[in-house]
Amino acid sequence: ATSKPHRFPPPNRMFDKPHRIWIWLKRFRKRKGYGVHSPFAFHYITELIYDRQKYEAYRTVKAAAKKRDTNRKSGRLLFRISQRIQPKQILFLGDVESRSLMYIRLGRPDAMILDNLETVNGSCFLDMAFFNIESPQKTEESVVAAMKYAGKESQFIIHGIHSSKQSLAVWKRLMKNAQSGITFDLWDLGIILFDKSYIKQDYIVNF
C-alpha cells in the first residue's frame, strides 16, 4: 500500500485548535517518553520537555504580554532549556520583539544574545541557538554554519519544522547532518543536541 502524503496546514492554521487536536491524536503514542529506551532521552523528555512546574518566569511573561500568547507551550520550553543549560552565548535568529526571546532571556538573564553569526565569539561555544524558519534555504544555511560553533552541551532549536514541505525537508537534512546528535521532533519545534557520547536517535515527541 502506498503511504499517504504528508499534509501541511496553511500558515493561519498552525495554531488552529481542531488542527492541534488532530496532531496530538496522531502522535498519541509518542507522549511522555513512551517507548523510549535511552535513559538520557527519556529523562530529557519527561523531566525537561514535560516539566509541569509553575515557574515565576511564566507569570513575568504573562504580565508583560499585550496580547494572547498563541505559542505559550513552546515559549515555556525555551525558558526551561535556557534555565537548564545556562548558556553564556545564544544565537537568536528570529523576531527580537517576540516572546520567544523573552522566555530565553528569563532562563539566563546575563547571557550574550547574538543576532547574526558574524558576532559569534569563536573562542567560546555557541551554547544555545534559536532559528525561526521563514526562508527554509536560508535557515538551513544558518544552522549548518552555526554548527561549527556547537559544543558537546549545545542545543539548537528550530521553530516551524512542519510549517511547509520545504521546512520539513530542511529538518530531515539537518537530522542527517554528520554533526547532529540526538534530535527531537516536537512538531512546532525541532531540537538538535550535539553530545556524541549518546547513540544517535531521532525522536518524535507528542508535545
Side-chain angles (χ1 to χ4, degrees), residues 122-142:
S123 63
C124 302
F125 289 124
L126 190 56
D127 306 304
M128 183 176 181
F130 175 86
F131 307 85
N132 186 45
I133 294 184
E134 294 178 353
S135 168
Q137 182 179 349
K138 289 183 178 179
T139 299
E140 181 175 14
E141 292 172 356
S142 296

Side-chain angles (χ1 to χ4, degrees), residues 45-114:
I45 293 170
T46 58
E47 300 298 323
L48 181 59
I49 294 177
Y50 278 97
D51 183 357
R52 294 293 184 256
Q53 291 188 61
K54 303 296 183 182
Y55 293 97
E56 184 63 31
Y58 300 166
R59 293 184 182 181
T60 301
V61 174
K62 186 176 181 179
K66 295 181 180 179
K67 59 183 180 179
R68 183 173 176 269
D69 189 352
T70 57
N71 205 12
R72 183 176 62 183
K73 185 186 291 187
S74 295
R76 289 180 172 184
L77 176 58
L78 292 175
F79 161 76
R80 295 195 297 272
I81 292 174
S82 180
Q83 183 192 56
R84 176 71 63 92
I85 66 176
Q86 287 295 290
K88 295 180 180 179
Q89 191 170 212
I90 302 171
L91 177 66
F92 186 90
L93 297 185
D95 181 2
V96 295
E97 300 297 326
S98 71
R99 259 164 275 183
S100 296
L101 182 55
M102 187 185 300
Y103 277 114
I104 291 172
R105 282 186 182 278
L106 287 169
R108 177 67 190 264
D110 62 342
M112 181 183 295
I113 307 294
L114 312 172

